[in-house]
Every structure is written in structure tokens, then in C-alpha cells.
Amino acid sequence: STKASLDDPRASFQYFARTIPAGGGSAEAFVKYLKQILDSNSQDGTYLALLTSTSDWSNSYAAAVRQATRLYAPRMFIQQILLDPTETVRNISESISYVKDLGFPFILGIFYDMNREDLDAVMMEAYKQEVAGYGKHVWFFAGNEVENNVLGRSFRKGSELQLAYKGSGFLGVGGEYTKQYEQFQSSLKEMKESPKILEFVKLILPNHERETPDGESLHSDQREVTNNYFSINSTALMHDVKFLNTSTIDHRAQFLYEATILLGLTACSSVSSDLSLDGNTFYQKLLETSFQGISGTVELDPITGSRIPNSTYYLMFNLLEQGGGNDGSSALTAFEKKLTDIFASGQWEAVTPFVFNNNATAFADEEVWLKNVEVQELHTAVRVICLLLCGTAIALGLVCAFWTLKNREKRIVKASQPFFLCLICIGTIILASSIIPASFDLDNLHLEGNNKACMAVVWLLYIGIGVIFSALLAKTYRINKIMKNAKKFKRITMKTRQTLFPVIAVLLLNIIVLSLFTVLDPMQFRFYVTAEDRFSRPSSIYWRCEVEGHGEWMIPLTVLNFGILILSLVQAWQVRFLSTEFQETQSIYRVLSTMILVAFITVPVIILAQDNPDSKLFLTSATIFATCCSVQLLIFVPKYRYEKEQENKAAKGQVRISGLELQRDSTDASPSLDGEAILSEKSPQELVAELEKLQRQVQELQEILPSTADVQFQSNSKGAKLSG
């Protein structure tokens, strides 16, 4: 009744409906169980072997599992192995051997209506080949084979079968542990204890001549088959010990009850005024009718007529040892089913921890399959080189910051605003520090530690470039503001706090977006497959931070920070012809141009190198190193050279002009000026044109004026003497 093939009306019946969901609903719940419960630490790390019998139901259920993995766990690896225990014993051995070679930690047995002997043979062989009973694998069962063949039996403690079944799980469906189910059981008990109700039931049940003695259980050979339907003697049924026995009632009884209620509700809503029923109308009303039943809200799919899977409950049961056997012997043990999780409204809710075969409540499946997988880890040499680049960039930032603080009272440093120079140094140090967490992998940290390292890289990267870009924007904005006022012949003083707004704004926006990113959808450290073996199992993998699926966070961060870079470049372009005493505008323009050029060349290469951890780390580290060094060297080296030249001139204590030596103080040329002097606003082309014009004028004057005697200036320690 749960075959998925019945969902196709053209292949089944014109009027079809069922209150029990198709097997595909249970398959969806099972896949989500592995993904959400057992594989909570790594969404992509689940490997499942499907060991199926050759029945139509088993194949239908296996197809539903594969479909569910494509929809809800696309990175779950599945391999199906067919098993036919009725063929030969060798078939069981070969199938289990194949499962062992796979090495998958999770095994789902789909053995619908398999008898006890065949199921025991499968589990015995699994134990012999160490596929069950050794704590290395987890067995689940999809059908009713566990309830029919394992529960209610006694096993010898420590036996192969007892160890093989121990800690396995199986799926159930319906509201078996709900209040509605308890009320259903209570009503059945009242029916059995009421003589009037039993007499009425006997009247409506079919009656045949053959009867069975009182108290004797009804066996399969006491059933009569007529026109492919079972006809049961009412007297025999009434005296069966299982009749209306709440302790032995099949869980499918709740769906039969709901089907009866559904038919009754539909009849009441579709009957006409003359108390007649039309088949088409009745069927359409039946598809539209829903009510709260024992197993949840009974609701049918209007297209297929099947119960909507998420409208019922799915249950995960754990096989646990009960203690002594059914006869009370201490040498025997029996199993009981323990409800561990309930699937409702598309999500699993934990009731009690699942106990695995090794008595643990957590199953570390990574260790099982990683043993046979080649993991592409970072080479030590590459990691050392990248960390050296990181250390060099950080050291250079500290040196530049120390030099700035040491010379903060000197005019060249004052003119460049020491606060923003230190801010640029801090930004480069933060940016360079992002190389450290980027160099981590499973060789350094566990999985959770690497998850945190992934977010640390993003934080350091965007905070670092945000501080650098916003500081450069503040400096170029300050220069443009001064130039615009100078053209209007206005005097203006730009203090640090007046140009600090872009830095604060960019920093706050970065922190807000990164905080939401970290809390709502943090990046994870995932593995990616580079090669597979003959079982479609990964044979070679590499680990990296998962970037895919986080565009809603990465895009605004990238647009914000690189938007600031472009805006800074526009500001620098507007004053590209400005000739100043310390040439700071040209330095900033070179820095911005270099950063854009580096990003344009290296970012596409880094994207192409995603599948090679060593190449990606080296290219990323080299890009960060080049960015930090270009900022520090292009901004601070010209200032350092200028200051050294001034110190050398001051040390000499004199200036020679065309043979005239003059004594001067060892101070800056303009001690009263703290800012940077603007020499010219004209472009180089305009200055060259003016120079050529002046040269022509000088040549014309030389041709007009008579020649004169040479004029020499001579100087000595007492003064200057002019002779001609």
C-alpha cells in the first residue's frame, strides 16, 4: 500500500486514495535524519549504502531515497547493492563483501517482508565480515522486518546476532506516541470489554462454516481466499487472542481507522438532498476532505490521491537491550524499541539520544571514510612561505607606524596627518593577519576550529581593506576640499575629525554586515571531491572554506569596500595635476592604481585555483602581501627620503647658490608652515609649454641685447664681493 508506483494514477486505478503515505515520504524523512541529526557537523559528509531486496517495494523505496538525496542532500553519496537471500548463500556473502569494500558508515536495509531466517542470515554474515556489531557502521531498516522478526525474541548475550542487531534503528510512521493514539487504544480496549459491542461486531463480520476452538490463535491456514480476497470466519476471529489486543495491534490499524472516518466524512459532505451519491462527486470530495486523525492531519494529494507525507508523523526507533530474555534467563537478552526522534512538519525533533552499536550517543563518521581517502592538505613549505609573507607585511606596518609616531612633530608628517598614516598602518597589519587563519586546515585544527577560521579570514580581510580604503578616501577628500576653497580664494583648515566620517561609516557598515553574516549564515569548512573510485566513492578530496551560497553577504561587502576604492581613485584623479611640495597626491594615486591593477590580475587567477589548496593559499597570500607593501612603500618611502634629505642639508648648515655660500639654521625652510605647500595646479603638458615659451623669449632677448661682460660672484668668510 505504500509503493511509490501507486502515485501514478494512470498506472494504478481511476479512483485511488490512501491514508497511509507512500514510501517516498519515509525516505525523505530518513535522508533528513542523516543530514540534520547524524551529520550535523558536516552537511557534505554522509555516505549511505542501500542494501535492498529484489521486491518491487524495496526498489521503489530505494528510488525514493535517491530522489530525496537529490532534493535535500545533494552531496550525500549513495550506493545501492541488490541482495537476494532466496537465491544462494553466496549471494549474501558477496553483497555484504561489497558493502564492506565501500566502507560507508551508514547502511540502510530495505528488506520488505523478509522472513526471520533470511534476515538473520544477512546480519550473521555482516557480523562475520565486521560490517555489523563492531561499532564501525550504523544499520537502519526501512520496512517492517525488525518489528516482525527481532522484537519479542530472545538472544544469547554476546552472540553474533545480538551484537549485530544492537544499536540499530528503524523507521516507523504514524502517531504511535501521541495522545490521539492513546485514546484510540483506550477505545479498542473498551470495545473488547463490552459484550454488546462484541455481539454487534460479530453480526457485521462475515461468517463461514469452519470454526476454531476457543482461545486458539488464528493462523494463516485458517484463512479462505475467494476472488483474491481473504474471508475470515467471524467466530474464529472473535476468539483470537490478538483480536482488539492493544499490546499486539499493528501500527497500520490507525490508517485503516482514518480511512473509515474519511469515507464517512466524505459521504456526509457529498450526499445530495435525495440521499444519492455520485461516484465522481464523492471522489473529488474525498480528495478535498481533511481532518485531525490519529497519525496527524489527514490530507490527500489532489493529483495522486496519496496521503501528503508531511501531514503525518515519522518515528525513529532505536533497538536497545531490554535485560533478561523473555523467559527471564540472565544468559539471554531481548530488544525493545526506544523512540529517539519524531519527524513533524518537515523537521526532526529529538526525544532521547540515539545509542549506537558501540554504546556511544555520537557517531564520528569522518574517521571511517577519511582513512581510505587521499586528502590534499597544505604543504608545509607553502604554509611557511605564506606565513613569512604575512610576518614581513606586519613588520613593515609596525615599522611605518613607529616612524610616524617618532616624527609626528616634523612638518612632512604633520602635513600628511599622523592619525591617518597610523590608520593606514593598522589597516595593512589587519589585512596581512588574514593570511594566518587562511593557512589552517585539518592538520592544524579540528573541523569546528576551521569553521571559525573561515569567518576569521573574512573579518580580517574586509576590515583591513575597509580601513585602508576609507583612510585613503579621507586624505584625497581633504585635498580636494582644500583645492576647491583655494580656487575661491578662501582660507580653510581641515582638522582630523572633519575627515574621519568615511572611516567610521565604512568600519561600522563592515562590522554590521559581518556580524549578521557570522550569526545567520556563517561560512563552513567543507570538503570537495577531486576523484572517485569504482564505487563512486571519493578517493581524493580537498578542504576549503565554502564560498558558494553566501553571495548575499559577500556581494554587499565587496561592493562597499571596492566602491570606496573607486571613489578614492576618482578623488585622486581630480587632483592628478596638482604639484605639491611632498608630492603626496601622486603617491596616493599610485597606491590606488597599483591596488586595482593587482586585484585585476590576481583575483581571477585565485578563483581559477579554487581546486588547488596550495596554489590558492599562495596566490591569496601574495596578493595580500603585494597590496600591503604597495600601500606602505609608496606612501612612506617618499616621506622618509624627503626627511633624510632635509636632515642632511641641516647637518651641513649651509647652502651654495652659484658660488655663493650662505649660513642658515638647521630647521625646516618654512618653520611657520605645518601644511604642504602647493607649487602648481597645472598639468605637465601645460608646464612644458610654458617652459618652451620662456626659452624662446630668452633667446629673442639674447639676440636683441648687446653682449656684456661676465659677472662673477665671489664669496668668502667675511662677506660677498661683486666683480665685473
Side-chain angles (χ1 to χ4, degrees), residues 78-315:
I78 290 182
Q79 185 70 31
Q80 182 178 358
I81 304 97
L82 290 176
L83 182 147
D84 187 2
T86 61
E87 185 178 340
T88 59
V89 177
R90 182 181 177 184
N91 178 266
I92 298 178
S93 177
E94 291 176 349
S95 299
I96 297 299
S97 177
Y98 193 93
V99 174
K100 181 180 180 180
D101 291 341
L102 277 175
F104 288 4
F106 299 112
I107 302 170
L108 176 61
I110 310 175
F111 311 131
Y112 187 72
D113 281 339
M114 181 179 285
N115 60 50
R116 177 183 299 184
E117 291 75 17
D118 291 337
L119 182 61
D120 287 350
V122 171
M123 299 307 294
M124 282 285 290
E125 185 64 30
Y127 181 83
K128 290 179 182 178
Q129 299 195 31
E130 299 186 5
V131 180
Y134 287 85
K136 301 177 183 178
H137 303 78
V138 182
W139 280 75
F140 295 97
F141 299 94
N144 58 354
E145 56 272 10
V146 172
E147 288 191 283
N148 292 344
N149 302 318
V150 180
L151 295 178
R153 289 175 58 190
S154 295
F155 296 86
R156 184 171 53 84
K157 287 185 178 181
S159 64
E160 292 88 345
L161 280 178
Q162 185 266 327
L163 294 175
Y165 284 120
K166 175 185 174 183
S168 58
F170 64 93
L171 283 166
V173 59
E176 191 170 344
Y177 286 81
T178 62
K179 292 182 179 179
Q180 291 84 351
Y181 194 84
E182 293 177 0
Q183 294 173 358
F184 176 61
Q185 288 182 313
S186 177
S187 299
L188 291 178
K189 185 177 180 181
E190 291 178 4
M191 289 177 60
K192 187 169 185 178
E193 295 175 352
S194 173
K196 291 184 178 181
I197 295 178
L198 290 178
E199 187 64 28
F200 176 74
V201 171
K202 185 177 180 180
L203 290 175
I204 63 176
L205 286 176
N207 194 9
H208 296 279
E209 296 179 357
R210 189 169 56 182
E211 298 182 355
T212 59
D214 292 349
E216 185 178 340
S217 298
L218 183 66
H219 299 288
S220 59
D221 58 354
Q222 292 175 298
R223 300 176 180 177
E224 296 183 1
V225 180
T226 306
N227 295 330
N228 296 326
Y229 292 92
F230 288 105
S231 299
I232 303 174
N233 182 276
S234 60
T235 304
L237 181 62
M238 297 289 288
H239 290 85
D240 191 330
V241 294
K242 294 183 179 180
F243 181 67
L244 297 181
N245 188 339
T246 56
S247 62
T248 60
I249 188 172
D250 194 291
H251 73 281
R252 288 169 288 192
Q254 57 189 306
F255 298 106
L256 294 173
Y257 172 80
E258 289 173 341
T260 305
I261 298 298
L262 178 61
L263 290 172
L265 292 175
T266 305
C268 292
S269 61
S270 59
V271 66
S272 61
S273 58
D274 58 353
L275 301 181
S276 63
L277 286 174
D278 175 74
N280 291 326
T281 304
F282 181 82
Y283 182 68
Q284 292 301 320
K285 285 288 184 180
L286 184 133
L287 296 178
E288 298 170 1
T289 302
S290 64
F291 64 96
Q292 184 64 38
I294 302 173
S295 62
T297 302
V298 179
E299 189 175 359
L300 305 183
D301 188 321
I303 298 177
T304 64
S306 291
R307 174 81 171 267
I308 296 177
N310 287 341
S311 69
T312 188
Y313 305 108
Y314 292 99
L315 313 172

Side-chain angles (χ1 to χ4, degrees), residues 35 73 93 425 431 621 633 679:
K35 181 174 178 290
S93 177
C425 294
L431 179 60
S621 302
L633 296 178
L679 304 179

Side-chain angles (χ1 to χ4, degrees), residues 369-370 373-379 383 440-443 525-531 539-544 609-615:
W369 62 269
L370 277 178
V373 177
E374 179 186 356
V375 182
Q376 298 181 18
E377 297 179 344
L378 293 171
H379 287 83
R383 185 183 286 115
F440 293 155
D441 60 6
L442 290 180
D443 190 37
F525 199 61
R526 302 296 189 199
F527 75 85
Y528 294 82
V529 179
T530 57
S539 59
S540 177
I541 65 170
Y542 68 93
W543 293 83
R544 66 174 172 85
Q610 290 291 320
D611 295 341
N612 192 317
D614 288 327
S615 300

